Amino acid sequence: MAEFLSRYSARERLIVIFGLVMLAGMAIHAFVIEPYQQRLVMLEEELAQSRSDLLWIKSVAHRLSSAGSSQPSQGFSGSLANLINQTVKQQKLDSFLDQMRPNGEDEISVRFSAIPFDKLTDFVAQMNTQGLTVKDFKINAGDNPEQVDSNLLLEKA
């Protein structure tokens, strides 16, 4: 590099060095600072959306607890799949049910797609009154507001 610069006059060397410093500064900004700032903005937006979702879930969560406590636990005898089918038909959730898979005698996995959250909470409350408990529960936001995709793992209490 020193040989390269020695061919130029002092003024030209200053111009080349200044250009290299500017190029280095622009590269740092383009490849380090700007992506960092964009990621920070994206994370702040995700956090705000998550807080909004949490407030909404808290606002409708009382329905689940009040619906579950209003009826005493009835218990049931028979197949878990039959119980789920009956409840899904009673609550008109057929179009939302994607999959139902028994896991042995005492557990069943149920997947719903694009189900309104309040209908899902009503379904879980009904299952609670039938003597089933939620062992595992995964929920993702659906394509439309107030709709969710969920996976439930229910077990006999």
Side-chain angles (χ1 to χ4, degrees), residues 66-83:
S66 64
S69 63
S70 64
Q71 301 174 358
S73 181
Q74 299 168 357
F76 71 96
S77 60
S79 165
L80 289 175
N82 287 339
L83 174 66

Side-chain angles (χ1 to χ4, degrees), residues 44-56:
E44 287 172 349
E45 289 172 357
E46 286 179 10
L47 181 61
Q49 182 63 43
S50 295
R51 285 182 176 153
S52 171
D53 292 345
L54 179 61
L55 289 174
W56 178 75

